[in-house]
Amino acid sequence: MGAELSKTSTMDETSDEPPTSAVLLDNCHFSQVVFNNVEKFYVPGGDVTCYYTLTQNIIPRGKDWVGIFRVGWKTTREYYTFMWAPLPSDVHSDTAVRQQIQFKAYYLPKDDEYYQFCYVDQDGVVRGASVPFQFRAETEDDILVVTTQGEVEEIELQNKNLHKENEELKASCASLQKQNIDLQEEVNKTQELQNSLESLRSNTEKLELELSSLKKENKHLKERDDCREAELHQLKEQIQNVTSDKERLETRLKTALDHMDQLQSQVLNYEKEVENLSHVDHDKTEQLESLKEENRQLRMTRTPQQQNRGLMKELEEQKCLFQILQAKKNEADEENRKLREENDRLLRHLSQAREVSSSFSVVSPAQAPIPAPEVGGLLFGNPYCAAGANLGAGAADLASIRRCPMCDEVFPEDIETSQYEAHVQSHLLECPLCSETFEKSNKQVFDDHIFCHGLE
């Protein structure tokens, strides 16, 4: 009951329980802390000062404590009272350090049982224990009584034996201390090995985690590689398709170029035919002029009635000639229109072939780009640019330059259309009856035309 009261009071004072354990006595190291000047008896009602020495084999810590235990205790949980052990000024000192601690009388046992001091570290392991002592007053039975000489000799002999036993015990204690130090070193090595083992386990776990992560990443990379292979296979198929399309388009382009060469030769033939027609037209014009001259001379020599019949006959001939020339002109215009349509179709086809060819960036010497003509012009030049009835004009000029088809005068790009048309109109004569136009240089043709209207 007294022990429970003392333990409660000490806990109230320190507001903390000391660290204890269920470690048995066989696993304790009593030589690391040595208690000094321990009395056999401590007078009840007074404070008790405990003196002890910390050897170099122990490193004191903040939760170490000194407890009073009843002799016969089994674990550190059976303490009667305790006090926290003060830390020395140099915790890691290589020499022994003397310490002291004072127990207040209020917390000390009140019976006369045997007790002892024990130094307990913060792990609950006993590091040192004192000799037993009692809490009672010294009696007469404790007074030394002088005996006879024989008893003294016997006591001296006993003392010698005890001294010898003490020396043996000291030697055994030193051996045990050495064994304890060796065991402690082995324990430290074991602890280090255990720490290394824990570190290796931790590293192994980390490596396993990294291996798992690498396996997942490898699986992901394999999936991506499979996707890349599928994409590469699709791209190869697309390249094969594009290559076949390219070859097919190259064949079509070659065919179109051959066809264009044929058309160019046809255009040259048409140019020659037009030139021949122009010469024929020129010859017909000269023949008409000659007939007019003969008609004029006949007019002067014949009677009015004969002149009238001659003029009617001449008019019929000229009408027939005019109809023939007009038919030839219409045929040439129709042929010109067909050539323009064929030329536009070839230009569109050539433009598509160029776009396909440029998409592959393949341009061979036989497929050198052909400069596109201006909008509205022929690929090899238009030999039929006519104004009014003129069929012998040259090739078309650039779209940005305006040239008069009559006098070849060149006008600037910014000239107004009305001014340009007025200039061209100044070279023409318009029939007031049928609105047909004639060049001023062919004034005689215009007069004959008006005369024909008069005969009608």
Side-chain angles (χ1 to χ4, degrees):
M1 186 71 179
E4 293 177 358
L5 178 62
S6 175
K7 190 181 296 186
T8 304
S9 302
T10 307
M11 289 171 61
D12 291 342
E13 181 181 357
T14 59
S15 69
D16 194 4
E17 246 183 74
T20 59
S21 67
V23 178
L24 298 177
L25 295 176
D26 296 338
N27 298 323
C28 297
H29 308 279
F30 296 98
S31 62
Q32 295 181 354
V33 178
V34 180
F35 288 90
N36 312 113
N37 303 327
V38 179
E39 302 290 342
K40 292 182 178 180
F41 307 100
Y42 288 98
V43 179
D47 297 338
V48 175
T49 302
C50 173
Y51 301 94
Y52 60 92
T53 302
L54 300 173
T55 66
Q56 63 272 18
N57 296 324
I58 184 172
I59 298 176
R61 292 179 288 180
K63 288 289 185 176
D64 294 354
W65 53 284
V66 178
I68 297 177
F69 291 78
R70 181 179 292 176
V71 175
W73 58 274
K74 299 297 183 184
T75 65
T76 55
R77 297 175 181 173
E78 301 176 19
Y79 67 92
Y80 183 87
T81 184
F82 79 97
M83 293 291 292
W84 293 111
L87 288 173
S89 58
D90 187 5
V91 176
H92 300 282
S93 175
D94 295 334
T95 59
V97 179
R98 296 180 63 86
Q99 296 284 96
Q100 67 179 24
I101 191 171
Q102 190 176 49
F103 290 90
K104 297 296 182 182
Y106 178 78
Y107 302 108
L108 297 177
K110 303 298 188 292
D111 55 17
D112 58 352
E113 296 290 336
Y114 282 93
Y115 293 89
Q116 63 181 150
F117 298 113
C118 291
Y119 187 96
V120 186
D121 63 12
Q122 69 177 17
D123 296 327
V125 179
V126 178
R127 299 298 181 180
S130 70
V131 297
F133 57 84
Q134 289 180 296
F135 290 95
R136 66 181 179 85
E138 186 176 357
T139 61
E140 294 180 356
D141 295 337
D142 301 322
I143 299 175
L144 182 63
V145 178
V146 180
T147 59
T148 61
Q149 182 65 30
E151 292 177 348
V152 169
E153 290 177 355
E154 184 179 357
I155 291 172
E156 287 179 354
L157 181 60
Q158 291 178 356
N159 286 336
K160 288 181 180 179
N161 293 332
L162 290 174
H163 184 70
K164 184 177 180 181
E165 290 179 359
N166 189 18
E167 292 295 332
E168 291 177 354
L169 290 174
K170 284 183 178 180
S172 176
C173 181
S175 176
L176 290 174
Q177 286 181 353
K178 184 177 180 181
Q179 291 179 3
N180 186 22
I181 292 172
D182 294 338
L183 290 173
Q184 187 68 27
E185 290 179 354
E186 291 181 0
V187 168
N188 293 333
K189 291 180 180 179
T190 304
Q191 187 68 28
E192 291 178 357
L193 291 174
Q194 188 174 1
N195 294 334
S196 299
L197 180 61
E198 292 295 332
S199 176
L200 289 174
R201 286 178 180 174
S202 176
N203 292 333
T204 303
E205 292 177 356
K206 291 181 180 179
L207 290 174
E208 288 178 352
L209 292 175
E210 291 180 359
L211 180 60
S212 177
S213 176
L214 289 174
K215 285 182 178 179
K216 291 180 180 179
E217 187 176 357
N218 189 18
K219 183 178 178 182
H220 180 64
L221 289 175
K222 285 183 178 179
E223 292 176 355
R224 290 180 61 185
D225 188 43
D226 294 338
C227 295
R228 293 286 176 83
E229 288 182 356
E231 292 178 359
L232 182 61
H233 182 67
Q234 292 179 358
L235 288 175
K236 286 182 178 178
E237 291 180 352
Q238 292 179 3
I239 288 173
Q240 290 177 356
N241 295 332
V242 169
T243 304
S244 60
D245 292 340
K246 171 179 164 290
E247 292 176 354
R248 187 173 63 255
L249 290 172
E250 285 179 351
T251 304
R252 291 176 59 187
L253 180 60
K254 183 177 180 181
T255 305
L257 291 174
D258 294 338
H259 186 54
M260 287 180 64
D261 291 337
Q262 294 177 1
L263 290 175
Q264 186 176 7
S265 62
Q266 291 179 5
V267 168
L268 293 175
N269 294 330
Y270 287 141
E271 285 180 354
K272 292 180 181 179
E273 290 180 4
V274 169
E275 186 177 357
N276 293 331
L277 288 175
S278 298
H279 290 308
V280 170
D281 184 47
H282 182 68
D283 293 339
K284 296 294 181 180
T285 304
E286 291 180 352
Q287 186 179 359
L288 182 61
E289 291 294 334
S290 176
L291 289 174
K292 286 181 180 180
E293 182 64 25
E294 290 179 2
N295 188 19
R296 187 178 60 79
Q297 292 177 2
L298 288 172
R299 285 178 187 174
M300 295 175 62
T301 58
R302 293 178 183 178
T303 61
Q305 190 174 10
Q306 292 175 345
Q307 289 180 0
N308 192 16
R309 284 196 301 267
L311 287 175
M312 289 297 293
K313 184 179 180 180
E314 184 180 355
L315 181 59
E316 291 295 333
E317 291 177 356
Q318 289 193 6
K319 278 185 179 181
C320 293
L321 180 61
F322 178 76
Q323 290 174 358
I324 293 171
L325 293 176
Q326 187 69 30
K328 290 183 178 181
K329 176 180 176 299
N330 293 335
E331 290 176 0
D333 290 342
E334 181 66 20
E335 187 68 23
N336 190 14
R337 183 184 64 79
K338 291 180 179 179
L339 288 174
R340 285 176 182 275
E341 292 177 355
E342 180 68 17
N343 193 22
D344 293 338
R345 185 181 66 80
L346 289 175
L347 284 175
R348 288 193 298 270
H349 185 72
L350 182 60
S351 178
Q352 293 175 359
R354 281 180 185 158
E355 291 176 359
V356 173
S357 179
S358 62
S359 64
F360 300 107
S361 300
V362 177
V363 179
S364 63
Q367 299 170 350
I370 301 174
E374 298 294 333
V375 178
L378 294 176
L379 180 64
F380 302 102
N382 182 9
Y384 308 110
C385 180
N390 184 16
L391 300 177
D397 296 319
L398 296 173
S400 61
I401 300 176
R402 291 189 176 184
R403 185 186 299 273
C404 178
M406 306 300 174
C407 63
D408 292 334
E409 182 177 354
V410 178
F411 293 90
E413 297 179 5
D414 56 351
I415 186 172
E416 295 183 1
T417 306
S418 60
Q419 295 179 0
Y420 174 74
E421 291 178 352
H423 174 79
V424 174
Q425 193 67 31
S426 65
H427 292 286
L428 301 176
L429 295 174
E430 184 176 358
C431 178
L433 300 176
C434 63
S435 301
E436 187 175 353
T437 57
F438 300 90
E439 295 183 15
K440 282 188 177 182
S441 58
N442 294 330
K443 182 84 167 46
Q444 185 63 44
V445 178
F446 175 73
D447 294 338
D448 294 339
H449 177 76
I450 296 296
F451 178 75
C452 292
H453 280 299
L455 295 176
E456 294 175 357

